[in-house]
Amino acid sequence: MSKFTVKWGILATGGIAETFARDLWPNPECRGVKDIEHKVVAAASSSSAKRAQDFLKEVRGVEDAKAYGSYEELVKDPSVDIIYIATPHSHHYQNAMLCLEAGKNVLCEKAFTTNAPQLEALIKKAKEKNVFLMEAVWTRYFPLSIYVRDIITSGKIGPVSRTYADLSMAMLPEKTFEDGHRMVNPDLAGGALLDLGIYALTWVFQTFYTTQKDPKPPTVLSTMRKYKLGTDEQTSMLLTFPPTDARGEAHGIATTGMRTSADPDSKGSAGPAIRIQGELGEVQVYHPAFRPTRTKLVLGDGTVEDKEWPQPGPGEGSGWKNGFGGSFQPEGEGQGMFWEADECAYALKEGRKEGKYESLGESLVIMKVMDEVREQNGMKYPEKIETLEYPVKL
């Protein structure tokens, strides 16, 4: 059986780009996916073509992969089926619009844009060009996440009334980051909310939005602690979702921060980072919210199911490693970004224009929630990265 091949172009060559592109190298059959394959055929660096060339060698791009010293060159490459955008949040709108204008399919790193109006403009442009557009919330495509959503929709834990979700990491920003770093710099849409908080929101939305037949947006109450640069270092959100036929109104509590940790000893001793609570029991998901590998189902009848979800890969002896932020998973174990890449492949194969487990509409609702949180707490970014104007040189 011939495989459907997706030819990727990588826009930007930083850490997350390297992690994603590395994850495209293992044969998908090592994770039970037999009818598609991925090839990295091009990459672009805004600094130089040499940087893109070095990147392609590092991630094992195809032998004749093209290296470009500008994003404009990349989007003109006819061999590229889809472009993965790996720049900071601040640049997503400009970069995605460049790709869409060129008629390219796009997988854009989260947070999708700086604000909801920018995302609305991208959605409109994608529809106008009849191309695929998806937010790279990789966690949604894990088998673990599918399992959790299935538990919810099966009714096994009963109607779900409350979800707690936290992604906090004790980074101590003043010791860890220079003022220009993307995690804290307002010019790069820094702060905990758009980088970490979106994962806490993802688990709340998977519970009360993705899994609902007729989902409705929540109302939002929030509080925020600011870093010295004006971006957030800690944010707490209370989302109230309207009643459904099965339950009354539901509460989602999403928290994020850079001064405390959801897993202080890195052994899970502090308990789950996510608790999805229904009338008959709960599902627990353990830290980190972005790459969890353990769940626990606890039911009122005494049932307890503790499951491990290791990421697949080519295995020991393969000579291949992947990771992020300077640390690697064990040899042969994937990071897990290939699951979202597989979803893109199937969408292109089937002619779909958005992701199966997070529609563009849902991405937009989440973006509006984050806008509201920033509005409630007076956190504004510079106009040059909030604008709808295009093109704007950043």
Side-chain angles (χ1 to χ4, degrees):
M1 180 179 70
S2 63
K3 296 186 177 184
F4 183 81
T5 302
V6 178
K7 292 173 284 186
W8 289 87
I10 311 298
L11 190 151
T13 54
I16 196 65
E18 186 172 319
T19 300
F20 178 81
R22 279 178 182 270
D23 248 15
L24 297 180
W25 180 80
N27 188 330
E29 291 190 15
C30 71
R31 54 185 179 272
V33 176
K34 299 181 179 180
D35 53 349
I36 59 171
E37 62 181 0
H38 303 280
K39 292 183 178 180
V40 177
V41 301
S45 168
S46 60
S47 58
S48 70
K50 174 65 164 58
R51 172 72 187 104
Q53 192 173 33
D54 293 343
F55 172 88
L56 287 165
K57 183 178 180 180
E58 184 67 32
V59 303
R60 305 187 187 186
V62 298
E63 190 173 344
D64 59 348
K66 302 289 196 305
Y68 297 111
S70 74
Y71 301 153
E72 289 77 12
E73 292 174 284
L74 174 66
V75 302
K76 293 175 183 175
D77 188 332
S79 70
V80 172
D81 296 323
I82 183 170
I83 293 177
Y84 170 67
I85 296 173
T87 48
H89 318 307
S90 51
H91 290 50
H92 289 175
Y93 175 68
Q94 298 293 329
N95 299 154
M97 192 63 82
L98 175 70
C99 297
L100 295 174
E101 285 279 17
K104 292 298 187 186
N105 300 297
V106 171
L107 173 66
C108 182
E109 254 311 323
K110 55 83 209 156
F112 222 144
T113 50
T114 304
N115 57 48
Q118 288 182 340
L119 179 52
E120 288 177 314
L122 293 183
I123 293 170
K124 181 179 179 181
K125 181 60 67 174
K127 289 179 178 177
E128 176 190 313
K129 295 290 187 176
N130 194 32
V131 293
F132 173 83
L133 176 64
M134 189 176 101
E135 185 175 19
V137 186
W138 56 312
T139 317
R140 285 178 178 258
Y141 298 91
F142 290 4
L144 177 151
S145 295
I146 295 170
Y147 162 82
V148 170
R149 293 194 299 268
D150 286 347
I151 290 289
I152 294 166
T153 56
S154 71
K156 187 173 285 190
I157 60 173
V160 179
S161 290
R162 183 169 57 202
T163 295
Y164 296 95
D166 178 53
L167 179 56
S168 294
M169 303 175 77
M171 299 174 174
L172 305 181
E174 68 280 355
K175 295 182 179 179
T176 306
F177 306 122
E178 297 289 338
D179 287 355
H181 194 279
R182 67 172 187 86
M183 285 298 297
V184 293
N185 185 358
D187 287 342
L188 298 178
L193 177 63
L194 265 63
D195 198 84
L196 305 175
I198 191 169
Y199 286 109
L201 287 169
T202 290
W203 284 101
V204 169
F205 268 79
Q206 288 197 110
T207 304
F208 296 126
Y209 201 94
T210 317
T211 50
Q212 305 303 309
K213 292 179 181 177
D214 184 24
K216 298 289 194 300
T219 57
V220 186
L221 289 172
S222 65
T223 188
M224 180 182 286
R225 182 166 126 185
K226 303 277 184 65
Y227 186 55
K228 65 179 182 179
L229 300 176
T231 50
D232 68 309
E233 63 177 33
Q234 182 170 292
T235 296
S236 299
M237 298 162 275
L238 172 59
L239 280 59
T240 302
F241 290 82
T244 67
D245 292 340
R247 55 151 174 81
E249 68 179 24
H251 298 159
I253 299 94
T255 56
T256 186
M258 302 186 199
R259 295 204 175 274
T260 62
S261 175
D263 185 22
D265 66 358
S266 301
K267 297 177 182 178
S269 303
I274 295 115
R275 296 178 68 187
I276 299 167
Q277 300 177 316
E279 294 178 7
L280 303 178
E282 68 176 59
V283 186
Q284 302 174 348
V285 182
Y286 284 74
H287 180 84
F290 55 84
R291 190 184 182 270
T293 56
R294 180 189 172 194
T295 59
K296 185 186 285 187
L297 174 66
V298 183
L299 299 180
D301 65 6
T303 299
V304 178
E305 293 180 8
D306 208 327
K307 295 174 71 75
E308 298 288 337
W309 301 84
Q311 290 288 355
E316 289 185 26
S318 63
W320 177 85
K321 285 187 176 183
N322 202 1
F324 180 70
S327 63
F328 284 90
Q329 309 301 339
E331 183 187 14
E333 181 181 318
Q335 183 74 3
M337 301 193 86
F338 37 59
W339 298 114
E340 66 180 355
D342 291 348
E343 166 59 13
C344 293
Y346 283 117
L348 296 185
K349 182 181 180 183
E350 297 163 11
R352 289 187 282 112
K353 304 304 179 186
E354 59 185 340
K356 185 187 296 184
Y357 299 137
E358 184 181 27
S359 67
L360 291 171
E362 184 171 356
S363 287
L364 183 58
V365 172
I366 294 173
M367 204 74 235
K368 287 179 177 178
V369 165
M370 293 193 290
D371 281 0
E372 176 66 21
V373 171
R374 289 202 294 125
E375 177 70 25
Q376 288 178 5
N377 295 278
M379 189 174 90
K380 296 181 179 180
Y381 292 124
E383 174 60 24
K384 64 183 178 181
I385 66 170
E386 296 260 22
T387 184
L388 288 173
E389 289 184 28
Y390 170 83
V392 172
K393 186 171 179 60
L394 298 175

